[in-house]
Amino acid sequence: MTGLRFAAAAAAGVLVGLLASPSIADVVSDWKTAVAPPPPELKEVTVDPATTALLLLDSMKGGCSARPRCIAAMPNIKRLHDAARAHNMVIWYSLVGSDGKSTPDDVMDAAIKPRAGEWYRQGGPDKFMGSTLEPTLKQAGIKTVIVCGNSFQGAAVGTASGAAQRGYKVILPVDCSAGESVYNEQYAAFHLTKGGPAGVTSNVTATRSTMIKY
């Protein structure tokens, strides 16, 4: 019994010592050991124009023009916009900036300018919060959304996550959302397709604008 008591006391002492010592096993300490996971698989998708909406989020002159990667994404956004128009799809825009007074004329490219009733001034990452987005989708019988956002790690992640958690299928063209850096975009794509909650990742399909069929 004496031996058992000694062993128990020793174990308790070790545990107390460990609990009292600062841990170095945290993400910042281990930052340089991280290895990027494989990229998400990009899949061809075929959408039903009658039940699919295109969401163009925060693609404004003020923010986009300051991000070279956003400027580079504009032809891909226009490709999706033109296809959506040709198929008479629902398109919804969030407008930000200009001290809360942004207008359709502030969208980065006049060729994708929203029409009356298609836009709403809505800040924050999840554009469902307090906007016309969800009522618009419900009224039109939308089941699937194509998400394009600036930034990728902000509006795109927030709204794609919000859509998935509300029961929508999410199509994520990785070439129509932009961040300040490749790392920011990588983080966003990984979170939505592999790293985030199962309720999100199971409803998100990664693709490119050229891989979407109608």
Side-chain angles (χ1 to χ4, degrees):
M1 290 296 292
T2 302
L4 289 176
R5 288 177 180 173
F6 177 79
V14 171
L15 178 60
V16 170
L18 289 174
L19 292 175
S21 301
S23 173
I24 60 170
D26 62 69
V27 67
V28 174
S29 298
D30 295 338
W31 199 270
K32 292 183 179 180
T33 69
V35 177
E41 179 186 359
L42 302 184
K43 300 178 180 179
E44 289 192 350
V45 294
T46 300
V47 301
D48 176 5
T51 59
T52 303
L54 174 63
L55 310 186
L56 300 180
L57 312 174
D58 298 3
S59 295
M60 316 301 293
K61 293 176 182 176
C64 191
S65 61
R67 294 172 175 163
R69 297 184 67 81
C70 182
I71 296 173
M74 288 310 299
N76 305 320
I77 294 174
K78 186 176 183 300
R79 177 184 296 114
L80 292 169
H81 167 273
D82 292 351
R85 291 288 186 214
H87 289 88
N88 198 32
M89 289 170 52
V90 170
I91 306 179
W92 188 90
Y93 300 72
S94 62
L95 307 187
V96 294
S98 300
D99 295 324
K101 299 178 181 179
S102 54
T103 72
D105 290 328
D106 295 321
V107 169
M108 183 62 189
D109 188 340
I112 63 166
K113 181 177 176 179
R115 299 173 180 174
E118 292 182 333
W119 59 274
Y120 193 83
R121 295 187 185 99
Q122 181 66 15
D126 184 352
K127 303 303 179 180
F128 283 90
M129 302 296 290
S131 76
T132 59
L133 177 53
E134 191 159 20
T136 296
L137 299 181
K138 286 185 175 181
Q139 183 175 1
I142 298 300
K143 299 178 181 179
T144 302
V145 293
I146 302 171
V147 176
C148 298
N150 178 46
S151 67
F152 204 151
Q153 74 274 11
V157 166
T159 305
S161 297
Q165 292 177 83
R166 289 170 172 84
Y168 295 96
K169 295 297 181 182
V170 178
I171 297 175
L172 182 73
V174 296
D175 59 347
C176 78
S177 291
E180 293 81 359
S181 68
V182 175
Y183 180 81
N184 285 349
E185 294 178 18
Q186 184 183 64
Y187 147 72
F190 177 75
H191 178 82
L192 288 173
T193 59
K194 293 183 177 181
V200 172
T201 60
S202 62
N203 286 316
V204 175
T205 300
T207 187
R208 286 195 177 98
S209 60
T210 54
M211 298 171 70
I212 298 176
K213 301 178 180 179
Y214 302 85

